[in-house]
Amino acid sequence: MSIGKIIDAGQLIKRDRRHIWHPYTQHGIEPDPIPILRAKNASLFDAEGREILDLISSWWTSIHGHSHEQLNNALAEQSCHLPHVMFAGFTHPPAVELTEALLDVLPTGLEKVFYSDNGSTAVEIALKIAYQFWRNEGETSRNIFLTFDGGYHGDTLGAMSVSRGSGFFNLFEDLMCAVKTVPFAETWEGDSEAETRETLALEALASVMKEERGRIAALIIEPMMQGAGGFRFCRPEFLRAVSDMARGENILVIFDEVATGFGRTGKMFACEHAGVTPDIICLAKGLAGGYLPLAVTVAGDGLYKAFLNESFEKALAHGHTFTANPLACAVAIRSLALFEEEKTFERIEAIERQHRLVLSDLTGRSDIARARLLGTVLACNLAGEAGAYKSGASLFLKEWYLAHGLNIRPLGPVVYLMPPYCITAAELQRAYDGLFEGLDALSLAN
Ligand SMILES: *Cc1c(COP(=O)(O)O)cnc(C)c1O
């Protein structure tokens, strides 16, 4: 494939360093970014044409793989018709078609789709819908959001507030809205105390619900799998119990499926594991196949109706410039269709089977703890590492893996694989081999 012109990687990095401030990067110490000139399927290619296997799907977005011919075509075709139009007072075929396609795969009961363009805003919108719903209904004392220890919901102020249990945002506490954080009953392979942990967590939840009765607007949780907070998994029983308790207290239930949506956990949506339908669901990351920023917040009809009125005051005062961008919607429609056309769930099941075969190798290692598996996500902790987000061990491993052609990027003490569904068995084997060699290298270096 021709890239059109020769790129001088050294020059590009120099120009980057001069003016660009990268996300989640400590520019005081971290190495130069790697210029990527193209990507195909599960692989990225750098300026020298070196292949880097993308085992975290480029921040969990690339579900079908990079530069998929069908998605490329959908994008190109839509760009000839309508790249963008404002979404207040206008609509367009890709938005309507995508909405219907999404409702086809979402659990029944979720019916009204609010578009935005990233996971954080999808969460902000969910929080605003929940908060305003109670005000529109005349219940003005519901000001608190319930969230979970280790929960992560995004980087904007409201999303940070409900992510306070992730530990990323302690600096910003004074700016946050009112939140109560309750324990998340995490579990892992070979865990014999899951039920005890659940009982304790549910007791804590019950006591907060009792203390704050009538003051909690909504509860927000990443169903089945917390992502950025450390790939902590829970049992479906826990998710069901939490949702039932919230319902019992008239508390709205928000599922943040920004990371878990679109097959990641082995089901189209993680809530299917527990058979629970939330009042509001947030989707982003994989929605547009990893091509373009697109997000939705989907609510039940009952919530929507509470915003209908003669005056604007009860309307949802929210909207982003690129809401429901037609290019992104067109790619998302194609991406959803690929699940049938490419039998994507067979690929997902194959990945899970292959992951399962290495799970025992992971649990057998003394330098590894809490190995766990859910759908296409394989995760474990470095034993004995309490580990800050950018701990020495995590930076060592990230660099080691990149040097060996693998994009594996530990989150503090947590090492995980989250490949695009198009990854081949041979590529996955290469990933496992590299994963173990990197861990060996870390042991030797310590
Ligand atoms: C990534 C993530 C977000 C934030 O999404 P952005 O698109 O990065 O703003 C929110 N919730 C969860 C569960 C996520 O994994």
Side-chain angles (χ1 to χ4, degrees):
M1 182 199 242
S2 158
I3 47 160
K5 59 179 176 177
I6 306 288
I7 302 278
D8 180 333
Q11 272 303 321
L12 195 72
I13 292 168
K14 238 169 144 177
R15 285 158 63 198
D16 173 291
R17 292 223 81 142
R18 205 169 294 144
H19 296 297
I20 298 181
W21 197 340
H22 284 264
Y24 278 100
T25 300
Q26 176 45 270
H27 283 290
I29 50 164
E30 287 188 49
D32 290 333
I34 300 168
I36 296 297
L37 303 196
R38 66 186 190 91
K40 188 72 192 169
N41 302 334
S43 299
L44 311 171
F45 296 91
D46 74 4
E48 280 80 48
R50 200 174 66 99
E51 181 182 5
I52 300 171
L53 207 49
D54 190 2
L55 294 154
I56 61 172
S57 303
S58 279
W59 264 349
W60 323 346
T61 61
S62 181
I63 52 177
H64 302 295
H66 296 280
S67 194
H68 191 291
E69 200 184 344
Q70 299 252 3
L71 301 182
N72 295 351
N73 292 342
L75 178 57
E77 199 192 323
Q78 183 58 39
S79 72
C80 301
H81 298 300
L82 176 70
H84 189 60
V85 62
M86 61 186 286
F87 207 57
F90 293 97
T91 190
H92 50 75
V96 175
E97 228 179 279
L98 175 60
T99 301
E100 290 170 357
L102 277 171
L103 295 194
D104 272 351
V105 289
L106 277 166
T108 20
L110 294 164
E111 292 176 70
K112 293 290 195 259
V113 180
F114 196 103
Y115 281 92
S116 62
D117 44 27
N118 64 76
S120 305
T121 52
V123 167
E124 297 285 345
I125 291 158
L127 299 177
K128 281 174 74 173
I129 290 175
Y131 185 88
Q132 189 175 344
F133 167 78
W134 291 114
R135 264 137 207 86
N136 284 0
E137 293 285 286
E139 276 209 44
T140 52
S141 53
R142 290 192 182 259
N143 298 329
I144 301 173
F145 292 103
L146 266 191
T147 181
F148 289 81
D149 188 30
Y152 173 84
H153 304 283
D155 290 356
T156 50
L157 271 173
M160 281 202 302
S161 304
V162 288
S163 304
R164 59 198 302 158
S166 70
F168 284 122
F169 307 121
N170 299 344
L171 181 70
F172 298 99
E173 286 203 356
D174 286 350
L175 298 178
M176 291 181 180
C177 60
V179 165
K180 291 277 171 184
T181 309
V182 291
F184 181 85
E186 65 172 318
T187 187
W188 50 86
E189 193 72 10
D191 172 27
S192 59
E193 282 157 32
E195 281 178 49
T196 318
R197 228 173 283 116
E198 277 169 22
T199 307
L200 291 173
L202 293 173
E203 277 169 16
L205 177 63
S207 111
V208 172
M209 283 178 172
K210 193 168 156 218
E211 239 164 71
E212 303 294 349
R213 183 160 289 154
R215 285 188 292 275
I216 300 169
L219 166 154
I220 183 164
I221 187 169
E222 296 154 272
M224 298 302 294
M225 179 187 94
Q226 293 187 327
F231 287 91
R232 298 159 87 217
F233 302 164
C234 73
R235 301 194 314 158
E237 287 86 344
F238 181 65
L239 189 60
R240 254 194 311 271
V242 163
S243 307
D244 286 348
M245 285 169 65
R247 292 270 156 71
E249 291 282 339
N250 236 359
I251 294 167
L252 294 172
V253 175
I254 304 169
F255 280 179
D256 178 354
E257 295 231 25
V258 167
T260 51
F262 304 105
R264 200 35 93 183
T265 69
K267 306 265 188 205
M268 191 54 111
F269 302 105
C271 60
E272 294 168 28
H273 288 282
V276 178
T277 303
D279 299 295
I280 305 176
I281 197 168
C282 304
L283 306 171
K285 292 203 164 98
L287 172 56
Y291 269 56
L292 287 159
L294 183 68
V296 291
T297 307
V298 189
D301 210 37
L303 288 178
Y304 174 78
K305 285 213 174 86
F307 289 74
L308 300 179
N309 195 257
E310 304 289 297
S311 89
F312 182 75
E313 252 166 59
K314 292 212 169 177
L316 183 62
H318 198 103
H320 295 280
T321 313
F322 282 97
T323 292
N325 172 254
L327 297 173
C329 290
V331 176
I333 293 165
R334 210 73 278 291
S335 172
L336 267 182
L338 285 180
F339 275 87
E340 290 254 322
E341 292 168 20
E342 297 194 331
K343 299 194 168 56
T344 300
F345 277 97
E346 287 180 18
R347 296 178 174 199
I348 289 170
E349 282 159 27
I351 293 169
E352 179 161 12
R353 273 198 303 277
Q354 210 177 334
H355 277 347
R356 188 157 295 286
L357 293 177
V358 296
L359 197 58
S360 55
D361 296 333
L362 270 179
T363 46
R365 289 181 69 107
S366 61
D367 55 349
I368 287 300
R370 302 186 179 184
R372 50 207 185 265
L373 164 63
L374 183 65
T376 64
V377 185
L378 181 68
C380 62
N381 283 40
L382 300 173
E385 276 275 333
Y389 169 55
K390 295 233 171 170
S391 66
S394 76
L395 288 176
F396 174 93
L397 283 177
K398 183 186 87 163
E399 288 310 308
W400 193 96
Y401 289 129
L402 279 173
H404 292 78
L406 304 170
N407 187 25
I408 299 176
R409 203 182 141 97
L411 263 168
V414 179
V415 186
Y416 71 97
L417 300 183
M418 207 198 222
Y421 309 148
C422 67
I423 197 164
T424 66
E427 285 169 335
L428 258 186
Q429 193 53 52
R430 217 162 84 213
Y432 303 138
D433 293 344
L435 175 76
F436 287 116
E437 278 170 44
L439 292 173
D440 292 341
L442 177 66
S443 295
L444 283 176
N446 279 342

